[in-house]
Amino acid sequence: MSQPEYRSELQGITRRHFFGSTAAGIGGVALSSLMSESLTAAANSPQSLGIQMPPRAKRVIFLFQAGGPAQQDLFDYKPLLNQKNGEQLPEHIRGSQRLTGMSAQQASIPLAGSAFKFAQHGQSGAWLSEILPHHRQIADDLCFVKSIYTEAINHDPAITFFQTGAQIAGRPSMGAWLSYGLGSMNDDLPSFIVLVSANQADQPLYSRLWGSGFLDSKYQGVQLRPGKDPVLYLSNPDGICRSGRGAMLDKLKTLNRHQFEKELDPEIESRIAQYEMAFRMQASVPDVTDLSSEPESTFELYGTDSRSPGTFAANCLLARRLAERGVQFIQLYHQGWDHHGSLPNAIREQCRETDQASAALVLALKQRGMLDDTLVVWGGEFGRTSYSQGTLSVNNYGRDHHPRCFTMWLAGGGIKPGITYGRTDDYGYNVADADGNPISPTKHEFTPGTMHVHDLQATVLHLLGVDHTQLTFKYQGRRYRLTDVHGHVVNDLLA
């Protein structure tokens, strides 16, 4: 048949003729597609992954300090910086590390010693700044990691990397991964709850940081806000009673079931489950957020700010109450640590807002016998430079972003208490080996004494009984995980 005749015959096939003659084939393709989706869903089921090991922790409270706290002014005591204050950062210490656009063009990059005094505390001899007086009480309960390092040098990708394991937005958050892998310990509250300090003007935070990415939407975090309605649109509108709302949801569930039977879309079942959870939360959320039953001693422990909803102190108290009720992953965010200038005054205020409450949370969990199975993590997305950004004066300086080394602490949940893991060089600029020599660790190969962000994530999952290499989800033809293709459990931190 010639090309023109063939084209003419194709043009003569009507739409009705095409669908009539190929219906069986299209039906087969559709059935195959549905079966493939069903098999993929089964393969992605946490129950089929075989991920669980004996857990050391039942829950996580992550006190995320957004902005990047300056480790040299809080935990990483560097007397050499004070001795060489105002001198230029040596080239052999800086090496080839890139600087941000905010300080790369400075004619001078002078070393800046801390404005604060340091002293050792507890039997562990942990170095702490004078602006962290309440941390002294928990020094022997903490594990300080002074050699953590990351890849991102700007806030948004750095925070996204910590929360999701990728610098580019769209991946599931750590709490979502754990909800997917471990399920829930409470039928009346979400397994992943987020608390953001109110009225903290700094780098923005986005709901995608606690989102579920390509996982089912039921695994995303639920933010509790201060005020009358902690969860938006949870309360019944005027004129709607609880029994009426319940009856409406029953009818809606029936309609959604019919829709699911037609389309087999798992998101419809997730929507049903979320409606039912929201109905139960109408009773459970007011209960957990009502602090009227707390004794006076509780507010004395957490500080006067704990009486003000939305403060970091109030959120730490609320985190304890959520932990008591079986919430598995509790994520706090506190902004305000991005101190490019006027650091001495600004960081002092940040410590006033967070020091007492952070210590109180650890002490309260310990008093209740919960610290052993509750992992508390404190830290930000990166550290700060040992040199001053902008003009260095006797009483003032700033510090730029520094991903190469910084400090975080962990407590409880199977972590060794009263230890310091890793170190930095005498300038506080590089991760160092046991002899204090600067080294350049990489995520591709684990270096003892160091911790990459993926190593932290792998260790947190391990403490919860999850093998980070097995907690995966197949999406667009590839199996994804929180730690991507990297990450090592840091066994030196485990009790």
Side-chain angles (χ1 to χ4, degrees):
M1 182 183 294
S2 67
Q3 186 73 12
E5 290 173 340
Y6 177 69
R7 183 177 298 144
S8 177
E9 183 170 322
L10 283 176
Q11 289 172 342
I13 298 176
T14 65
R15 181 175 180 273
R16 180 175 296 177
H17 178 221
F18 171 78
F19 280 107
S21 62
T22 61
I26 290 177
V29 171
L31 178 60
S32 173
S33 175
L34 289 174
M35 290 181 67
S36 175
E37 289 178 4
S38 177
L39 290 171
T40 299
N44 280 329
S45 168
Q47 290 75 19
S48 72
L49 297 175
I51 57 173
Q52 293 200 26
M53 304 174 289
R56 303 188 185 206
K58 293 181 179 178
R59 62 193 74 82
V60 176
I61 302 175
F62 198 149
L63 309 178
F64 195 82
Q65 311 300 310
Q71 69 276 11
Q72 305 92 333
D73 297 286
L74 299 173
F75 308 111
D76 201 9
Y77 178 46
K78 295 299 172 187
L80 184 66
L81 291 182
N82 290 83
Q83 295 172 22
K84 293 182 176 292
N85 189 67
E87 295 183 19
Q88 295 300 297
L89 175 69
E91 284 293 330
H92 74 278
I93 294 297
R94 175 185 168 184
S96 59
Q97 190 212 9
R98 66 187 176 122
L99 308 180
T100 73
M102 294 172 284
S103 61
Q105 305 305 316
Q106 286 185 192
S108 171
I109 46 175
L111 295 170
S114 178
F116 308 107
K117 296 178 181 178
F118 277 74
Q120 291 178 283
H121 297 278
Q123 293 183 346
S124 61
W127 286 100
L128 292 170
S129 170
E130 63 180 319
I131 55 177
L132 293 172
H134 294 279
H135 271 64
R136 301 170 191 171
Q137 303 173 66
I138 59 171
D140 289 334
D141 297 305
L142 304 183
C143 167
F144 294 95
V145 180
K146 295 189 176 180
S147 56
I148 193 160
Y149 64 102
T150 186
E151 299 165 26
I153 200 170
N154 292 313
H155 293 287
D156 186 76
I159 295 176
T160 304
F161 191 43
F162 251 98
Q163 302 302 309
T164 72
Q167 295 186 45
I168 300 174
R171 301 279 185 90
S173 57
M174 186 188 298
W177 275 113
L178 287 169
S179 296
Y180 160 67
L182 298 177
S184 176
M185 297 189 295
N186 187 321
D187 291 334
D188 298 325
L189 287 168
S191 61
F192 178 18
I193 287 182
V194 178
L195 305 167
V196 181
S197 299
N199 304 317
Q200 291 293 119
D202 204 347
Q203 297 294 328
L205 299 172
Y206 310 96
S207 60
R208 60 174 169 77
L209 295 173
W210 51 91
S212 57
F214 44 70
L215 297 179
D216 195 300
S217 60
K218 65 185 176 184
Y219 300 123
Q220 65 188 330
V222 175
Q223 183 181 355
L224 297 190
R225 294 167 168 81
K228 181 181 178 182
D229 292 307
V231 180
L232 297 179
Y233 313 115
L234 185 66
S235 303
N236 291 329
D238 293 340
I240 302 295
C241 64
R242 182 167 174 78
S243 60
R245 171 58 66 90
M248 183 273 290
L249 289 176
D250 287 340
K251 294 295 184 183
L252 187 59
K253 179 178 179 179
T254 301
L255 292 173
N256 280 328
R257 283 289 180 198
H258 286 309
Q259 189 74 5
F260 176 75
E261 290 169 5
K262 288 175 59 179
E263 299 185 13
L264 299 179
D265 182 354
E267 275 294 322
I268 296 175
E269 287 202 314
S270 295
R271 191 178 304 159
I272 294 171
Q274 288 167 338
Y275 283 142
E276 293 174 344
M277 171 62 79
F279 184 69
R280 296 193 296 273
M281 286 170 63
Q282 287 186 329
S284 62
V285 168
D287 171 66
V288 75
T289 56
D290 181 8
L291 306 183
S292 61
S293 62
E294 293 287 347
E296 183 66 26
S297 58
T298 295
F299 299 104
E300 292 175 357
L301 179 65
Y302 285 85
T304 55
D305 282 356
S306 61
R307 298 181 183 277
S308 302
T311 60
F312 181 77
N315 286 345
C316 282
L317 172 54
L318 188 53
R320 189 217 80 204
R321 293 172 62 86
L322 290 167
E324 289 174 326
R325 287 159 175 79
V327 177
Q328 194 159 251
F329 197 90
I330 305 159
Q331 176 76 65
L332 276 67
Y333 291 97
H334 186 77
Q335 298 156 285
W337 294 95
D338 190 25
H339 301 148
H340 292 276
S342 303
L343 184 146
N345 289 333
I347 200 170
R348 185 181 280 109
E349 176 61 18
Q350 285 294 105
C351 290
R352 187 201 66 77
E353 294 173 353
T354 60
D355 171 45
Q356 182 173 357
S358 299
L361 177 60
V362 173
L363 291 170
L365 292 170
K366 190 175 181 179
Q367 290 168 0
R368 287 164 170 75
M370 294 176 62
L371 187 60
D372 288 343
D373 58 13
T374 303
L375 176 63
V376 184
V377 183
W378 189 104
E381 66 268 32
F382 42 55
R384 314 300 295 195
T385 56
S386 297
Y387 64 80
S388 177
Q389 179 182 343
T391 303
L392 172 68
S393 67
V394 175
N395 299 314
N396 199 13
Y397 54 91
R399 299 192 190 274
D400 204 354
H401 307 167
H402 192 67
R404 185 175 285 193
C405 59
F406 54 107
T407 301
M408 298 182 70
W409 61 251
L410 301 89
I415 289 291
K416 282 182 184 176
I419 69 166
T420 294
Y421 175 81
R423 61 176 297 182
T424 57
D425 62 30
D426 290 340
Y427 290 86
Y429 201 81
N430 300 284
V431 174
D433 62 18
D435 297 321
N437 302 310
I439 58 175
S440 299
T442 171
K443 65 181 178 182
H444 302 292
E445 182 179 357
F446 179 67
T447 302
T450 71
M451 179 179 269
H452 183 268
V453 173
H454 285 320
D455 299 334
L456 173 68
Q457 294 162 341
T459 304
V460 169
L461 265 60
H462 177 84
L463 290 166
L464 288 160
V466 177
D467 182 346
H468 73 104
T469 67
Q470 298 299 311
L471 182 59
T472 63
F473 188 90
K474 191 173 183 180
Y475 176 68
Q476 293 184 341
R478 180 197 158 183
R479 290 200 175 276
Y480 287 86
R481 69 187 205 214
L482 174 63
T483 53
D484 196 39
V485 296
H486 307 286
H488 301 81
V489 176
V490 183
N491 289 305
D492 288 344
L493 270 59
L494 308 183

